[in-house]
Amino acid sequence: MNIHEYQAAEILSRYGIPLNAGQAARTPDEAAAAARALGGTVAVKAQVHSGGRGKAGGIKLAKSPDEARDVAGRILGMDIRGHTVNTVLVVPGVSIAAEYYVGITLDRANRQIIVMASAEGGVEIEDVARTNPDAIYRTPVDPVRGLLNYRAVDLAFALGIEPAAVGGFGEIVKKMALAYLNEDASLVEINPLIRTEDGRWLALDSKMVLDDNALFRHPSHEMLRDMAEENATELTAKASGISFVKLDGNIGCVVNGAGLAMATMDALQVEGGEPANFLDVGGGANAAQVAKALSLILADPNVRAIFFNIFGGITRGDEVAKGLLAGLEQVPTQLPIIVRLAGVNAEEGRRILATANLQSAETMEEAARLAVAAAKGEAA
Amino acid sequence: MSILVNHDTRVLVQGITGQHGSFHTGQMVEYGTKVVAGTRPGGKGREVHGVPVFNTVAEAVRETGANTSIIYVPAGGAPDAIEEAVAACLPLVVCITEGVAVNDMVRTYEVVKRSGSRLIGPNCPGLITPGEAKVGIMPGFIHARGRIGLVSRSGTLTYEVVNALTQAGLGQSSAVGIGGDPVIGTSFVDVLTLFEADPETDAVVMIGEIGGTDEEVAARYAQEHMTKPVIGFIAGQSAPPGKRMGHAGAIISGGAGTAAEKMAALEAAGIRVAIRPGDVAGLVKQAIGKA
């Protein structure tokens, strides 16, 4: 689950990380009031679940409350990589002596949590990884005890931080690791972490991603969810045990199993079509699940054809076919439907489907071709 | 002689009285797997599909000589169940459970790594040696005995490929679903190593998907250490970046882990890559000279 910068900042401040504390604002007047309260030059920052805010013009300096009102007026409502800005964060302007990137995440290849840090602060870490990979230093986090002190110190020296400032840097990174473990995050990032000209450490921008699978341990995290940033259909699907991702194509897909669902999307693309969604209906593919899946797909006005790809395993093909027909009865549609049923008792299943007004295919490739043709409005 | 499970496998089911545990115990018994025990705290004395239930893993192992555990415990308790099996020194632990918190698995993986146990999963369909033992949730009857090894991060996509192999007359020595999570106990490389050493496996099919770099690491391993042909398929060629595709591990972040990168790495390592799952069986036949 993604959360906003100001929410991540609230969490990290509870761990004692020095933040450039500001105020969230939802209107230009609120932004002006925040700037007045903070005094001096402020930065007005768009709050969206997306990187590249600076480049998109979503972060601006303002020298007065009036200018803050002006700037906020331009940023609120702005679209940044498909995300609408509903909130801005107003923070005090600071004078920067040095800036660093520090991020904690899972290193999948080594199955451990690591700190990544570089002296190229303020730049997206993906860009540094591409252009100057040797500038990124890594050290592991103990999943029980957190970041050990000597590792934090090592990291600080590797980054070229002056000895007097090493301790302060280490404390911040250790606190970040503690937050990562205690909050069950999958990312804790401060970028940039700065040294001010008067020698203080300050987190200028923070980001956290929380592990959906650990939300059961953190009921309060659910309140951090920004419904405006989530896809309503995806949330409805999740509640029904269906895994759904909206895509840009016009062929609706209903598949059992995540791997097969991805392979189905691929098959459509190989045949020159585009999937309207990823959809894993779960193991059974019974009438109720099929009906729910159909409702999700039909909510998308772009859909021109529906492709069922079901592998009958433990739930045999004939049962799947009956469930499918019952589901189609509950949620009727005029769109062309292509069904590919494979696995155990598939032939019997196909015989049952033959009684209905839909196209049936034996292989995934053949079904994909039929679906692509149907979506283009061609008779197969 | 196949890998990991065979006639001598004696299965213990953790969470045997739950809905999934009970159903799949029946399916495994029906397949002919020796399911010797189940556990559920407080369940001692009960039976599920004729299998005796014990309170703890240690007790079940002592009483029945179980040597493999399969876990159907819900996500919150699964890491503890894995560690209980490891503490009882079971050599093989298979965790089917989906949705385990990542940090929990990082901690549990540290324990598994330092032990003598091998963990398969979590979030996996399990593994099967056709005709000998099914330790998982896959439909047993699509498999046939044979000499093709299979390793996969997926569930139904694996069944799809197994079914196609069987229909093409290519039986399987063993088929292993390693799981779709970011942190799993057994990697592609681990399973490739076992297949390479297995005299009854002639070729290996590897089914990967987007996310992480395990497929790339496996490709390098195959190139440097394997004499047997490997045939690959990667799911998610059409997936957009940053979106989770069902499996917690199937997400492309920061450009790494795309299907295109993985397919290129496999091909560079001399692995034949199928564009469509339907092409896998044909490539296997070519590789073993039966086309």
Side-chain angles (χ1 to χ4, degrees):
Chain A
M1 179 172 93
N2 291 313
I3 61 173
H4 287 297
E5 176 193 359
Y6 73 91
Q7 297 168 323
E10 273 167 26
I11 294 176
L12 294 179
S13 70
R14 289 206 294 271
Y15 286 83
I17 291 173
L19 289 131
N20 194 29
Q23 294 177 18
R26 286 181 175 74
T27 64
D29 285 340
E30 280 179 29
R36 193 168 297 116
L38 294 167
T41 299
V42 295
V44 180
K45 307 170 79 180
Q47 298 294 289
V48 282
H49 292 172
S50 166
R53 292 176 301 170
K55 276 183 220 157
I59 301 177
K60 295 269 184 234
L61 290 177
K63 293 198 183 73
S64 67
D66 284 343
E67 198 182 347
R69 181 185 292 110
D70 237 38
V71 165
R74 270 177 281 143
I75 295 177
L76 286 163
M78 185 185 265
D79 180 282
I80 298 178
R81 294 187 186 171
H83 302 257
T84 307
V85 182
N86 297 314
T87 308
V88 293
L89 181 64
V90 184
V91 295
V94 286
S95 55
I96 299 172
E99 45 188 337
Y100 302 87
Y101 169 92
V102 183
I104 302 184
T105 191
L106 176 74
D107 173 5
R108 291 179 51 142
N110 296 304
R111 284 123 170 85
Q112 62 184 8
I113 300 159
I114 56 159
V115 182
M116 291 186 297
S118 97
E120 297 192 19
V123 183
E124 281 192 54
I125 192 70
E126 290 83 359
D127 293 338
V128 182
R130 233 185 346 264
T131 56
N132 193 9
D134 292 341
I136 302 175
Y137 297 91
R138 296 174 172 80
T139 194
V141 173
D142 184 295
V144 179
R145 294 182 294 165
L147 178 64
L148 302 186
N149 186 65
Y150 79 91
R151 292 192 188 279
V153 170
D154 268 3
L155 192 65
F157 280 114
L159 290 170
I161 292 168
E162 59 178 289
V166 161
F169 174 86
E171 286 310 310
I172 289 173
V173 185
K174 284 192 280 183
K175 284 169 182 164
M176 286 172 71
L178 199 62
Y180 184 98
L181 294 175
N182 286 355
E183 305 295 331
D184 277 306
S186 50
L187 177 73
V188 173
E189 191 179 76
I190 297 181
N191 187 26
L193 173 65
I194 65 151
R195 284 265 283 161
T196 59
E197 279 175 352
D198 55 357
R200 290 174 298 133
W201 284 107
L202 207 53
L204 281 202
D205 197 333
S206 44
K207 183 175 173 184
M208 284 181 79
V209 180
L210 304 171
D211 180 3
D212 290 291
N213 287 345
L215 287 177
F216 73 95
R217 261 200 294 263
H218 308 279
S220 63
H221 283 175
E222 200 52 55
M223 285 159 53
L224 301 174
R225 195 183 287 281
D226 180 351
M227 297 309 283
E229 287 273 1
E230 307 261 351
N231 181 308
T233 318
E234 289 175 17
L235 288 179
T236 314
K238 201 174 165 193
S240 320
I242 292 174
S243 155
F244 179 92
V245 179
K246 167 91 180 70
L247 301 170
D248 298 329
N250 60 8
I251 303 171
C253 301
V254 182
V255 189
N256 63 335
L260 189 60
M262 277 190 271
T264 302
M265 289 157 48
D266 297 346
L268 287 171
Q269 212 165 54
V270 169
E271 302 299 338
E274 290 294 337
N277 62 277
F278 164 95
L279 193 156
D280 172 7
V281 71
N286 58 33
Q289 289 301 93
V290 167
K292 283 179 200 153
L294 272 171
S295 318
L296 291 170
I297 285 178
L298 293 173
D300 178 353
N302 294 332
V303 171
R304 294 283 171 272
I306 302 174
F307 180 4
F308 281 88
N309 187 11
I310 307 289
F311 192 93
I314 298 285
T315 311
R316 292 166 168 75
D318 48 331
E319 297 164 38
V320 172
K322 284 178 200 155
L324 226 149
L325 293 183
L328 281 168
E329 237 167 67
Q330 288 174 35
V331 187
T333 169
Q334 295 302 311
L335 292 173
I337 295 174
I338 294 87
V339 183
R340 184 272 181 154
L341 196 57
V344 181
N345 287 6
E347 269 176 48
E348 216 177 310
R350 282 196 289 270
R351 264 199 298 280
I352 295 169
L353 293 176
T355 61
N357 184 25
L358 38 78
Q359 302 180 66
S360 176
E362 268 190 54
T363 70
M364 198 155 122
E365 289 76 16
E366 185 194 344
R369 269 193 297 278
L370 290 174
V372 172
K376 286 180 180 158
E378 298 163 5
Chain B
M1 192 40 254
S2 71
I3 65 167
L4 297 169
V5 294
N6 55 38
H7 278 309
D8 300 323
T9 297
R10 297 171 65 77
V11 177
L12 155 74
V13 181
Q14 288 177 257
I16 194 168
T17 56
Q19 190 196 338
H20 295 291
S22 153
F23 175 78
H24 286 290
T25 297
Q27 295 279 316
M28 288 189 288
V29 168
E30 191 183 309
Y31 191 74
T33 310
K34 292 190 188 87
V35 184
V36 298
T39 57
R40 190 225 146 93
K44 190 174 182 179
R46 289 171 65 179
E47 275 195 2
V48 175
H49 297 284
V51 176
V53 179
F54 298 88
N55 286 332
T56 67
V57 171
E59 182 188 24
V61 170
R62 205 162 50 233
E63 298 289 325
T64 66
N67 57 17
T68 296
S69 153
I70 184 163
I71 294 170
Y72 295 97
V73 173
D80 187 59
I82 293 170
E83 297 201 26
E84 186 185 2
V86 168
C89 298
L90 283 166
L92 183 64
V93 182
V94 182
C95 184
I96 304 298
T97 310
E98 183 178 355
V100 177
V102 178
N103 285 349
D104 287 349
M105 260 328 287
V106 171
R107 282 183 278 267
T108 296
Y109 179 76
E110 288 293 315
V111 173
V112 174
K113 197 172 69 180
R114 282 194 281 267
S115 75
S117 301
R118 173 186 294 286
L119 170 68
I120 309 261
N123 191 14
C124 77
L127 69 167
I128 184 169
T129 292
E132 298 198 26
K134 167 178 120 117
V135 186
I137 58 172
M138 67 288 283
F141 18 79
I142 58 172
H143 298 78
R145 292 183 80 127
R147 302 185 59 87
I148 308 302
L150 193 139
V151 56
S152 170
R153 266 165 80 182
S154 161
T156 42
L157 180 57
T158 315
Y159 313 159
E160 170 88 31
V161 173
V162 164
N163 196 44
L165 287 174
T166 299
Q167 285 180 353
L170 297 164
Q172 304 89 44
S173 51
S174 298
V176 185
I178 58 174
D181 273 3
V183 178
I184 49 176
T186 295
S187 66
F188 279 121
V189 169
D190 298 329
V191 180
L192 290 178
T193 309
L194 295 169
F195 277 131
E196 174 69 11
D198 173 31
E200 294 192 353
T201 297
D202 292 336
V204 184
V205 174
M206 177 169 102
I207 301 167
E209 61 184 35
I210 52 171
T213 52
D214 282 6
E215 288 84 357
E216 287 89 331
V217 174
R220 272 199 300 281
Y221 173 84
Q223 187 172 30
E224 287 166 17
H225 301 286
M226 286 184 75
T227 57
K228 297 176 183 177
V230 179
I231 292 85
F233 176 77
I234 306 289
Q237 297 162 47
S238 55
K243 279 287 194 176
R244 171 194 290 219
M245 295 290 148
H247 289 162
I251 180 165
I252 310 172
S253 7
T258 65
E261 286 168 310
K262 287 175 189 291
M263 290 164 81
L266 264 59
E267 273 167 358
I271 294 173
R272 294 160 213 238
V273 181
I275 302 294
R276 306 178 293 197
D279 300 335
V280 170
L283 290 180
V284 172
K285 283 193 170 176
Q286 274 177 28
I288 59 173
K290 283 192 181 166

